[in-house]
Amino acid sequence: MPRRPTLLLILVLIVLAGVFVWHRNEAAAPGQTSGGTTARTVTDGFNKSTYSTTDPASIWVVVNKQHALQPKDYVPADLVIPTVPLRVPGNESMQLRQATATAMEQLFAAASKASISLMLSSGYRSYSYQVNLYHGYVASQGQATADTQSARPGYSEHQTGLAADVEPASKTCEVETCFGDTAEGKW
């Protein structure tokens, strides 16, 4: 059950969160004009000195199958439940970092205007949640298959609170490749 459309959506949400936080920080920066806009110099490229790619609290932290989150028991300080439809209300995995939650709410509002109904399928995953999830995949499918579908504990971008899985509110093709063929996936 490859998750490419879901991973693409996760990356889009991370970028949206980053843009939102960057824009908010730029708006509060010195150099604002009297009209409320920020005078700034545009530079080419990615400035790694702006935010850390290794600090777990950074919105630019890199976590993937090659880069573990440290410390392994990291919990974001600003987890909130976004005001969007939730797959599992009350579950810890319905939380997101504040910036991501705001971006998610904006995404869902835009979807609603386009007559698209979405649902948050999964957000923050604690280290212990990842252990249970990964070992469940290993037990049911074997490690080789589990490694193609799930990050090993401590290597999941979901632990940052910046990543989310989104699915159609109808639960059609939830967390499956066929999501890309749905109206929601195409939107």
Side-chain angles (χ1 to χ4, degrees):
M1 171 168 69
R3 299 173 62 188
R4 286 195 175 112
T6 302
L7 292 176
L8 179 60
L9 188 54
I10 290 169
L11 291 174
V12 168
L13 290 171
I14 291 170
V15 169
L16 284 172
V19 168
F20 172 80
V21 171
W22 174 81
H23 178 70
R24 187 177 66 197
N25 288 344
E26 285 292 309
Q32 287 193 346
T33 64
S34 60
T37 60
T38 302
R40 60 188 159 98
T41 304
V42 177
T43 59
D44 293 331
F46 177 78
N47 183 350
K48 287 199 267 185
S49 66
T50 303
Y51 293 101
S52 170
T53 58
T54 57
D55 177 358
S58 170
I59 61 166
W60 288 0
V61 65
V62 175
V63 180
N64 56 35
K65 290 185 179 193
Q66 292 77 38
H67 298 92
L69 187 65
Q70 295 295 330
K72 73 178 186 179
D73 61 349
Y74 171 74
V75 177
D78 62 341
L79 288 173
V80 297
I81 298 172
T83 307
V84 300
L86 306 173
R87 181 180 190 193
V88 189
N91 188 289
E92 84 170 16
S93 70
M94 298 294 101
Q95 300 176 93
L96 298 169
R97 296 258 314 259
Q98 181 62 61
T100 307
T102 300
M104 178 74 65
E105 290 164 355
Q106 293 169 351
L107 176 78
F108 277 47
S112 181
K113 285 182 183 178
S115 299
I116 299 293
S117 297
L118 300 172
M119 175 185 314
L120 175 60
S121 176
S122 181
Y124 169 73
R125 295 179 188 161
S126 66
Y127 183 81
S128 61
Y129 186 99
Q130 294 172 60
V131 168
N132 292 332
L133 185 65
Y134 179 76
H135 289 298
Y137 282 128
V138 170
S140 66
Q141 302 169 344
Q143 185 169 349
T145 301
D147 284 342
T148 66
Q149 298 179 10
S150 179
R152 291 186 180 202
Y155 289 81
S156 174
E157 66 277 6
H158 281 274
Q159 191 175 348
T160 68
L162 297 169
D165 295 339
V166 174
E167 65 183 59
S170 66
K171 296 188 177 186
T172 303
C173 295
E174 58 183 343
V175 195
E176 296 178 34
T177 303
C178 60
F179 172 75
D181 297 324
T182 66
E184 295 86 351
K186 289 176 182 176
W187 178 82

PDB file of all heavy atoms in Angstrom, residues 96-119:
ATOM      1  N   LEU A  96      -1.172  18.928  16.007  1.00  0.00           N
ATOM      2  CA  LEU A  96      -0.155  19.477  15.114  1.00  0.00           C
ATOM      3  C   LEU A  96       0.522  20.650  15.817  1.00  0.00           C
ATOM      4  O   LEU A  96      -0.038  21.213  16.760  1.00  0.00           O
ATOM      5  CB  LEU A  96      -0.788  19.990  13.818  1.00  0.00           C
ATOM      6  CG  LEU A  96      -1.498  18.969  12.940  1.00  0.00           C
ATOM      7  CD1 LEU A  96      -2.297  19.673  11.850  1.00  0.00           C
ATOM      8  CD2 LEU A  96      -0.494  18.004  12.334  1.00  0.00           C
ATOM      9  N   ARG A  97       1.705  21.017  15.353  1.00  0.00           N
ATOM     10  CA  ARG A  97       2.318  22.255  15.834  1.00  0.00           C
ATOM     11  C   ARG A  97       1.403  23.405  15.444  1.00  0.00           C
ATOM     12  O   ARG A  97       0.679  23.338  14.459  1.00  0.00           O
ATOM     13  CB  ARG A  97       3.711  22.469  15.206  1.00  0.00           C
ATOM     14  CG  ARG A  97       4.757  21.444  15.555  1.00  0.00           C
ATOM     15  CD  ARG A  97       5.748  21.872  16.607  1.00  0.00           C
ATOM     16  NE  ARG A  97       6.310  23.180  16.473  1.00  0.00           N
ATOM     17  CZ  ARG A  97       7.524  23.455  15.995  1.00  0.00           C
ATOM     18  NH1 ARG A  97       8.313  22.490  15.554  1.00  0.00           N
ATOM     19  NH2 ARG A  97       7.964  24.697  15.957  1.00  0.00           N
ATOM     20  N   GLN A  98       1.424  24.475  16.208  1.00  0.00           N
ATOM     21  CA  GLN A  98       0.526  25.609  15.977  1.00  0.00           C
ATOM     22  C   GLN A  98       0.603  26.122  14.540  1.00  0.00           C
ATOM     23  O   GLN A  98      -0.424  26.349  13.898  1.00  0.00           O
ATOM     24  CB  GLN A  98       0.820  26.739  16.956  1.00  0.00           C
ATOM     25  CG  GLN A  98      -0.099  27.937  16.778  1.00  0.00           C
ATOM     26  CD  GLN A  98      -1.559  27.614  17.017  1.00  0.00           C
ATOM     27  OE1 GLN A  98      -1.933  27.206  18.103  1.00  0.00           O
ATOM     28  NE2 GLN A  98      -2.403  27.780  16.010  1.00  0.00           N
ATOM     29  N   ALA A  99       1.807  26.320  14.005  1.00  0.00           N
ATOM     30  CA  ALA A  99       1.948  26.835  12.635  1.00  0.00           C
ATOM     31  C   ALA A  99       1.343  25.878  11.617  1.00  0.00           C
ATOM     32  O   ALA A  99       0.698  26.299  10.657  1.00  0.00           O
ATOM     33  CB  ALA A  99       3.419  27.079  12.310  1.00  0.00           C
ATOM     34  N   THR A 100       1.517  24.588  11.829  1.00  0.00           N
ATOM     35  CA  THR A 100       0.967  23.597  10.910  1.00  0.00           C
ATOM     36  C   THR A 100      -0.549  23.547  11.036  1.00  0.00           C
ATOM     37  O   THR A 100      -1.259  23.426  10.035  1.00  0.00           O
ATOM     38  CB  THR A 100       1.577  22.206  11.180  1.00  0.00           C
ATOM     39  OG1 THR A 100       2.995  22.316  11.155  1.00  0.00           O
ATOM     40  CG2 THR A 100       1.139  21.200  10.139  1.00  0.00           C
ATOM     41  N   ALA A 101      -1.056  23.650  12.251  1.00  0.00           N
ATOM     42  CA  ALA A 101      -2.503  23.648  12.465  1.00  0.00           C
ATOM     43  C   ALA A 101      -3.154  24.829  11.746  1.00  0.00           C
ATOM     44  O   ALA A 101      -4.191  24.676  11.095  1.00  0.00           O
ATOM     45  CB  ALA A 101      -2.821  23.679  13.960  1.00  0.00           C
ATOM     46  N   THR A 102      -2.526  25.990  11.832  1.00  0.00           N
ATOM     47  CA  THR A 102      -3.053  27.177  11.157  1.00  0.00           C
ATOM     48  C   THR A 102      -3.054  26.963   9.645  1.00  0.00           C
ATOM     49  O   THR A 102      -4.048  27.255   8.968  1.00  0.00           O
ATOM     50  CB  THR A 102      -2.234  28.422  11.537  1.00  0.00           C
ATOM     51  OG1 THR A 102      -2.326  28.603  12.949  1.00  0.00           O
ATOM     52  CG2 THR A 102      -2.738  29.660  10.818  1.00  0.00           C
ATOM     53  N   ALA A 103      -1.951  26.448   9.106  1.00  0.00           N
ATOM     54  CA  ALA A 103      -1.877  26.171   7.672  1.00  0.00           C
ATOM     55  C   ALA A 103      -2.910  25.118   7.267  1.00  0.00           C
ATOM     56  O   ALA A 103      -3.544  25.227   6.213  1.00  0.00           O
ATOM     57  CB  ALA A 103      -0.469  25.716   7.295  1.00  0.00           C
ATOM     58  N   MET A 104      -3.103  24.126   8.111  1.00  0.00           N
ATOM     59  CA  MET A 104      -4.086  23.073   7.837  1.00  0.00           C
ATOM     60  C   MET A 104      -5.490  23.662   7.791  1.00  0.00           C
ATOM     61  O   MET A 104      -6.286  23.339   6.908  1.00  0.00           O
ATOM     62  CB  MET A 104      -3.999  21.994   8.922  1.00  0.00           C
ATOM     63  CG  MET A 104      -5.006  20.875   8.780  1.00  0.00           C
ATOM     64  SD  MET A 104      -4.644  19.719   7.468  1.00  0.00           S
ATOM     65  CE  MET A 104      -3.139  19.003   8.066  1.00  0.00           C
ATOM     66  N   GLU A 105      -5.808  24.538   8.730  1.00  0.00           N
ATOM     67  CA  GLU A 105      -7.125  25.168   8.750  1.00  0.00           C
ATOM     68  C   GLU A 105      -7.344  25.993   7.482  1.00  0.00           C
ATOM     69  O   GLU A 105      -8.436  25.978   6.898  1.00  0.00           O
ATOM     70  CB  GLU A 105      -7.275  26.028  10.005  1.00  0.00           C
ATOM     71  CG  GLU A 105      -7.377  25.183  11.267  1.00  0.00           C
ATOM     72  CD  GLU A 105      -7.147  25.949  12.558  1.00  0.00           C
ATOM     73  OE1 GLU A 105      -6.808  27.163  12.518  1.00  0.00           O
ATOM     74  OE2 GLU A 105      -7.294  25.335  13.636  1.00  0.00           O
ATOM     75  N   GLN A 106      -6.306  26.677   7.024  1.00  0.00           N
ATOM     76  CA  GLN A 106      -6.402  27.457   5.789  1.00  0.00           C
ATOM     77  C   GLN A 106      -6.590  26.540   4.582  1.00  0.00           C
ATOM     78  O   GLN A 106      -7.389  26.830   3.687  1.00  0.00           O
ATOM     79  CB  GLN A 106      -5.161  28.335   5.617  1.00  0.00           C
ATOM     80  CG  GLN A 106      -5.062  29.425   6.653  1.00  0.00           C
ATOM     81  CD  GLN A 106      -3.716  30.139   6.664  1.00  0.00           C
ATOM     82  OE1 GLN A 106      -2.760  29.730   6.011  1.00  0.00           O
ATOM     83  NE2 GLN A 106      -3.646  31.221   7.417  1.00  0.00           N
ATOM     84  N   LEU A 107      -5.881  25.438   4.555  1.00  0.00           N
ATOM     85  CA  LEU A 107      -6.013  24.462   3.478  1.00  0.00           C
ATOM     86  C   LEU A 107      -7.435  23.905   3.427  1.00  0.00           C
ATOM     87  O   LEU A 107      -8.054  23.836   2.362  1.00  0.00           O
ATOM     88  CB  LEU A 107      -5.010  23.321   3.655  1.00  0.00           C
ATOM     89  CG  LEU A 107      -5.111  22.181   2.656  1.00  0.00           C
ATOM     90  CD1 LEU A 107      -4.479  22.583   1.332  1.00  0.00           C
ATOM     91  CD2 LEU A 107      -4.439  20.933   3.194  1.00  0.00           C
ATOM     92  N   PHE A 108      -7.966  23.519   4.589  1.00  0.00           N
ATOM     93  CA  PHE A 108      -9.307  22.953   4.640  1.00  0.00           C
ATOM     94  C   PHE A 108     -10.360  23.990   4.248  1.00  0.00           C
ATOM     95  O   PHE A 108     -11.359  23.654   3.616  1.00  0.00           O
ATOM     96  CB  PHE A 108      -9.597  22.377   6.028  1.00  0.00           C
ATOM     97  CG  PHE A 108      -9.062  20.980   6.246  1.00  0.00           C
ATOM     98  CD1 PHE A 108      -7.766  20.643   5.897  1.00  0.00           C
ATOM     99  CD2 PHE A 108      -9.858  20.010   6.800  1.00  0.00           C
ATOM    100  CE1 PHE A 108      -7.275  19.359   6.092  1.00  0.00           C
ATOM    101  CE2 PHE A 108      -9.388  18.718   7.004  1.00  0.00           C
ATOM    102  CZ  PHE A 108      -8.087  18.396   6.651  1.00  0.00           C
ATOM    103  N   ALA A 109     -10.164  25.249   4.626  1.00  0.00           N
ATOM    104  CA  ALA A 109     -11.104  26.309   4.252  1.00  0.00           C
ATOM    105  C   ALA A 109     -11.102  26.499   2.734  1.00  0.00           C
ATOM    106  O   ALA A 109     -12.167  26.638   2.122  1.00  0.00           O
ATOM    107  CB  ALA A 109     -10.742  27.615   4.960  1.00  0.00           C
ATOM    108  N   ALA A 110      -9.930  26.481   2.125  1.00  0.00           N
ATOM    109  CA  ALA A 110      -9.840  26.605   0.665  1.00  0.00           C
ATOM    110  C   ALA A 110     -10.490  25.401  -0.004  1.00  0.00           C
ATOM    111  O   ALA A 110     -11.189  25.541  -1.017  1.00  0.00           O
ATOM    112  CB  ALA A 110      -8.382  26.743   0.228  1.00  0.00           C
ATOM    113  N   ALA A 111     -10.287  24.232   0.543  1.00  0.00           N
ATOM    114  CA  ALA A 111     -10.902  23.019  -0.009  1.00  0.00           C
ATOM    115  C   ALA A 111     -12.420  23.137   0.070  1.00  0.00           C
ATOM    116  O   ALA A 111     -13.128  22.814  -0.895  1.00  0.00           O
ATOM    117  CB  ALA A 111     -10.418  21.783   0.748  1.00  0.00           C
ATOM    118  N   SER A 112     -12.930  23.591   1.199  1.00  0.00           N
ATOM    119  CA  SER A 112     -14.370  23.728   1.383  1.00  0.00           C
ATOM    120  C   SER A 112     -14.971  24.686   0.352  1.00  0.00           C
ATOM    121  O   SER A 112     -16.041  24.423  -0.193  1.00  0.00           O
ATOM    122  CB  SER A 112     -14.668  24.212   2.801  1.00  0.00           C
ATOM    123  OG  SER A 112     -16.055  24.329   2.996  1.00  0.00           O
ATOM    124  N   LYS A 113     -14.264  25.784   0.074  1.00  0.00           N
ATOM    125  CA  LYS A 113     -14.733  26.739  -0.941  1.00  0.00           C
ATOM    126  C   LYS A 113     -14.813  26.093  -2.314  1.00  0.00           C
ATOM    127  O   LYS A 113     -15.592  26.513  -3.156  1.00  0.00           O
ATOM    128  CB  LYS A 113     -13.822  27.964  -0.990  1.00  0.00           C
ATOM    129  CG  LYS A 113     -14.016  28.909   0.169  1.00  0.00           C
ATOM    130  CD  LYS A 113     -13.122  30.123   0.051  1.00  0.00           C
ATOM    131  CE  LYS A 113     -13.292  31.003   1.267  1.00  0.00           C
ATOM    132  NZ  LYS A 113     -12.404  32.172   1.231  1.00  0.00           N
ATOM    133  N   ALA A 114     -13.992  25.067  -2.535  1.00  0.00           N
ATOM    134  CA  ALA A 114     -13.988  24.339  -3.808  1.00  0.00           C
ATOM    135  C   ALA A 114     -14.886  23.100  -3.735  1.00  0.00           C
ATOM    136  O   ALA A 114     -14.801  22.218  -4.592  1.00  0.00           O
ATOM    137  CB  ALA A 114     -12.561  23.948  -4.177  1.00  0.00           C
ATOM    138  N   SER A 115     -15.733  23.022  -2.700  1.00  0.00           N
ATOM    139  CA  SER A 115     -16.646  21.884  -2.483  1.00  0.00           C
ATOM    140  C   SER A 115     -15.901  20.570  -2.272  1.00  0.00           C
ATOM    141  O   SER A 115     -16.360  19.503  -2.679  1.00  0.00           O
ATOM    142  CB  SER A 115     -17.641  21.759  -3.637  1.00  0.00           C
ATOM    143  OG  SER A 115     -18.425  22.927  -3.722  1.00  0.00           O
ATOM    144  N   ILE A 116     -14.739  20.658  -1.645  1.00  0.00           N
ATOM    145  CA  ILE A 116     -13.924  19.489  -1.321  1.00  0.00           C
ATOM    146  C   ILE A 116     -13.972  19.295   0.192  1.00  0.00           C
ATOM    147  O   ILE A 116     -13.730  20.236   0.948  1.00  0.00           O
ATOM    148  CB  ILE A 116     -12.460  19.681  -1.785  1.00  0.00           C
ATOM    149  CG1 ILE A 116     -12.391  19.866  -3.304  1.00  0.00           C
ATOM    150  CG2 ILE A 116     -11.573  18.558  -1.314  1.00  0.00           C
ATOM    151  CD1 ILE A 116     -12.789  18.649  -4.116  1.00  0.00           C
ATOM    152  N   SER A 117     -14.268  18.072   0.629  1.00  0.00           N
ATOM    153  CA  SER A 117     -14.337  17.777   2.068  1.00  0.00           C
ATOM    154  C   SER A 117     -13.171  16.884   2.462  1.00  0.00           C
ATOM    155  O   SER A 117     -13.050  15.758   1.977  1.00  0.00           O
ATOM    156  CB  SER A 117     -15.657  17.074   2.397  1.00  0.00           C
ATOM    157  OG  SER A 117     -16.742  17.918   2.118  1.00  0.00           O
ATOM    158  N   LEU A 118     -12.324  17.402   3.325  1.00  0.00           N
ATOM    159  CA  LEU A 118     -11.143  16.678   3.784  1.00  0.00           C
ATOM    160  C   LEU A 118     -11.244  16.357   5.266  1.00  0.00           C
ATOM    161  O   LEU A 118     -12.070  16.924   5.982  1.00  0.00           O
ATOM    162  CB  LEU A 118      -9.878  17.516   3.530  1.00  0.00           C
ATOM    163  CG  LEU A 118      -9.591  17.892   2.084  1.00  0.00           C
ATOM    164  CD1 LEU A 118      -8.423  18.872   2.015  1.00  0.00           C
ATOM    165  CD2 LEU A 118      -9.304  16.651   1.261  1.00  0.00           C
ATOM    166  N   MET A 119     -10.345  15.477   5.709  1.00  0.00           N
ATOM    167  CA  MET A 119     -10.276  15.081   7.110  1.00  0.00           C
ATOM    168  C   MET A 119      -8.807  14.879   7.482  1.00  0.00           C
ATOM    169  O   MET A 119      -8.031  14.348   6.679  1.00  0.00           O
ATOM    170  CB  MET A 119     -11.048  13.764   7.292  1.00  0.00           C
ATOM    171  CG  MET A 119     -10.958  13.171   8.671  1.00  0.00           C
ATOM    172  SD  MET A 119     -11.779  11.546   8.799  1.00  0.00           S
ATOM    173  CE  MET A 119     -13.309  11.794   7.978  1.00  0.00           C
TER     174      MET A 119
END
